[in-house]
Amino acid sequence: MQTEPTILLNPSQIGEAARLLRAGRLVAFPTETVYGLGAPIFLEEAVKEIFVAKGRPSDNPLIAHISHLDQVHQIAREIPEQFYRLATTFFPGPLTVVLKRHQDVPPLVSAGLDTIALRMPAHSLARELIDLVGVPIVAPSANLSGKPSATESTHVRFDFDGKIAAILDGGKTEYGIESTVVSLLGPKPVILRPGSIARDQIAKVLGEEVLVATEACQGSASSPGMKYKHYAPEARVRFFDRLELMVEATLNTNGKRQLVLSRVNPELGQDYIPLSAAEFYRALRDADAQGYNEILIYCDEKIQGDEGLMNRVRRSAGM
Ligand code: TXA
Ligand code: MG
């Protein structure tokens, strides 16, 4: 258990972040999606610490982050041709691919599954860090289990101060929601978690139909993470796909402090924050910090066309 305070490192101190990681200490770092909480993939003790620090259920596997394609062979086996097609188009970027796991990877990383999820982040600090550490870095999102992900170093500090060695500060993350996760292990590719890279884009590159795992068909959980409560702030989140219904919800507040999130300000007199993928988790965290009791989210047609953001909105509302 750590006793020193968590240190904030600026990009010029990336060497120190790498040194701490190699010594088996946990370091949070920026990616283009959200901040990750990292450990070198082959350091089992450090990987174990990630689960403890996050309060993460041990059956929820981690994503391995690579900086070069040749690292794929160190962590995966029987790599299908489809992988290279996806990698050519989408790496580096917010796409995670699930393959068969290499026997050298500690089973703990994948929560005992015979598979491994991997991605090559687009953030240059993330790739530089992996290069300096010399092996892939496993990292879940750097938030307490069940809470909104972290898109700024202050969010990471709020959740983990005194519990992890350091945070490499890369400012605000670009996309704001986590990567799309696609499995290439079944007869057809399956999206296990929607994200900024859309199903259609993946289908186009692969030249075949891509399925989307629904809650119902996950059963024994092809993506174990999806069965857990996610992205939930303290405030109650209510989701509306019709403006009239949200208006109704604002009429009788029963003394509750309400915050409205939507693409365009509906001018209901309630406090308002614009809704976007990049700012979504920050809005949830700010709502808690400012003591709102309810977050009312209205998703118009344009927002409904964003499968990644819609997934996070629904899940934050417990749907
Ligand atoms: O954008 C992202 O993906 C961020 C940044 C830090 O890279 N990471 C992230 O990690 O969101 P995490 O741990 O919060 O979410 C990983 C998701 C979970 O839903 C998990 O169940 C799924 O990926 N996953 C990981 N390994 C898997 C595997 N072997 N098979 C199926 N699903 C897997
Ligand atoms: Mg997460």
Side-chain angles (χ1 to χ4, degrees):
M1 231 16 203
Q2 166 158 342
T3 48
E4 321 92 87
T6 298
I7 50 177
L8 191 65
L9 301 170
N10 64 47
S12 71
Q13 295 170 300
I14 191 168
E16 176 63 5
R19 191 191 65 75
L20 287 164
L21 282 167
R22 281 198 303 263
R25 308 292 304 281
L26 301 187
V27 176
F29 62 96
T31 81
E32 75 282 21
T33 58
V34 299
Y35 276 74
L37 182 58
I41 192 162
F42 300 115
L43 290 191
E44 227 174 317
E45 283 307 311
V47 175
K48 234 181 248 171
E49 280 297 313
I50 290 180
F51 285 89
V52 175
K54 274 191 66 113
R56 185 175 179 103
S58 58
D59 65 350
N60 193 2
L62 308 178
I63 294 174
H65 296 69
I66 60 170
S67 51
H68 295 280
L69 265 191
D70 53 20
Q71 289 167 323
V72 173
H73 298 276
Q74 294 174 26
I75 60 176
R77 62 178 214 278
E78 299 167 42
I79 299 152
E81 180 262 338
Q82 296 154 304
F83 169 78
Y84 292 99
R85 278 206 241 167
L86 292 177
T88 302
T89 309
F90 299 116
F91 281 13
L95 181 71
T96 295
V97 185
V98 179
L99 301 172
K100 287 190 182 163
R101 177 167 55 88
H102 191 290
Q103 59 186 25
D104 291 351
V105 173
L108 178 70
V109 165
S110 302
L113 297 173
D114 185 35
T115 59
I116 181 82
L118 64 90
R119 80 180 195 94
M120 186 190 289
H123 201 300
S124 58
L125 278 180
R127 290 204 309 281
E128 206 182 311
L129 188 63
I130 299 162
D131 282 345
L132 290 172
V133 170
V135 295
I137 295 178
V138 293
S141 52
N143 53 278
L144 293 175
S145 195
K147 290 291 159 197
S149 300
T151 56
E152 298 173 27
S153 62
T154 48
H155 301 162
V156 182
R157 185 182 280 289
F158 186 82
D159 284 8
F160 294 107
D161 202 13
K163 292 192 194 158
I164 62 173
I167 304 166
L168 179 61
D169 192 357
K172 273 194 204 180
T173 63
E174 180 188 347
Y175 288 86
I177 61 169
E178 305 84 345
S179 60
T180 303
V181 179
V182 62
S183 168
L184 296 180
L185 296 175
K188 285 185 179 165
V190 183
I191 293 188
L192 303 178
R193 180 176 69 182
S196 319
I197 295 184
R199 173 195 196 170
D200 289 352
Q201 290 174 275
I202 295 172
K204 200 167 166 196
V205 168
L206 292 178
E208 62 181 311
E209 188 190 9
V210 173
L211 306 178
V212 178
T214 61
E215 297 295 320
C217 80
Q218 275 178 12
S220 61
S222 42
S223 185
M226 299 304 274
K227 73 172 185 268
Y228 293 108
K229 190 178 158 201
H230 256 99
Y231 322 122
E234 299 300 322
R236 176 181 178 210
V237 179
R238 298 171 68 185
F239 157 77
F240 303 92
D241 55 6
R242 283 169 45 206
L243 190 56
E244 320 79 272
L245 296 179
M246 186 168 79
V247 172
E248 219 173 282
T250 62
L251 294 179
N252 200 347
T253 61
N254 284 324
K256 292 192 208 80
R257 286 187 64 217
Q258 293 179 327
L259 175 69
V260 167
L261 279 185
S262 65
R263 195 175 58 85
V264 178
N265 191 345
E267 315 263 358
L268 297 171
Q270 254 68 6
D271 292 340
Y272 165 79
I273 299 187
L275 176 61
S276 70
E279 300 290 339
F280 181 59
Y281 289 131
R282 187 158 75 96
L284 298 186
R285 284 176 175 266
D286 284 355
D288 277 350
Q290 291 160 29
Y292 287 98
N293 309 105
E294 281 193 343
I295 304 170
L296 308 180
I297 307 182
Y298 169 56
C299 297
D300 60 15
E301 268 179 30
K302 195 155 179 195
I303 297 281
Q304 287 182 41
D306 182 338
E307 57 201 49
L309 178 56
M310 281 306 292
N311 171 272
R312 304 313 187 273
V313 167
R314 286 214 165 84
R315 295 179 69 82
S316 70
M319 297 164 77

